[in-house]
Amino acid sequence: MSESLLIPCPYCNGLNRIPAERLADAPRCGRCKQAVMSGAPFELSGAAFASQLKGDLPLLVDVWASWCGPCRAFAPTFEQAASQLLGRCRLAKLDSEAHPQLAGQLGIRSIPSLILFKNGVEAARQSGAMALPQLLAWLGQHGI
Ligand code: ZN
């Protein structure tokens, strides 16, 4: 028997049960057939947030806005992290202008902000952009 994990689909929010050894294998959603794990950050919306907090993998949220230079500069680093952390952590981007209500609910005071959720609750938070090694080290401190 192999271990399996519950993973929410970033597109339809359906929960998928995926064998651990298939996580890095671009598994598709049983409901909408899109890639559940793609190695790229997905867009988080207010309506999807509660669903995306579910499942067995930690969720790292990058809160950003298009007018924010440091946010735009950090985007490629966040994409690289998503690819490196495939199967270990899910990465999502929250556009604080498009979803101000959720950004407010999360108590965002400055951007970029990174929030790590484990088991559906906030485990760590970091303001400001980081280089990739720093970001991976920070996540490492929190068991990712
Ligand atoms: Zn789906």
Side-chain angles (χ1 to χ4, degrees), residues 45-126:
S45 74
F49 181 61
S51 303
Q52 294 301 325
L53 275 184
K54 294 177 186 165
D56 292 324
L57 285 183
L59 177 69
L60 177 65
V61 179
D62 170 25
V63 188
W64 72 289
S66 58
W67 50 261
C68 161
C71 296
R72 290 198 308 272
F74 178 62
T77 301
F78 197 67
E79 281 168 26
Q80 283 180 309
S83 148
Q84 291 209 11
L85 295 167
L86 178 62
R88 284 188 283 152
C89 185
R90 308 171 64 239
L91 276 70
K93 291 178 73 81
L94 173 64
D95 183 336
S96 59
E97 276 195 303
H99 308 286
Q101 206 174 347
L102 178 54
Q105 182 190 326
L106 293 173
I108 300 299
R109 282 182 219 91
S110 66
I111 49 171
S113 276
L114 290 167
I115 310 179
L116 176 67
F117 295 93
K118 293 173 83 174
N119 302 313
V121 294
E122 181 173 332
R125 183 183 289 230
Q126 173 83 37

Side-chain angles (χ1 to χ4, degrees), residues 8-14 16 28-36:
C9 170
Y11 300 98
C12 72
N13 300 317
N16 287 265
R28 304 237 149 221
C29 174
R31 192 195 285 178
C32 73
K33 310 299 177 199
Q34 300 201 68
V36 175

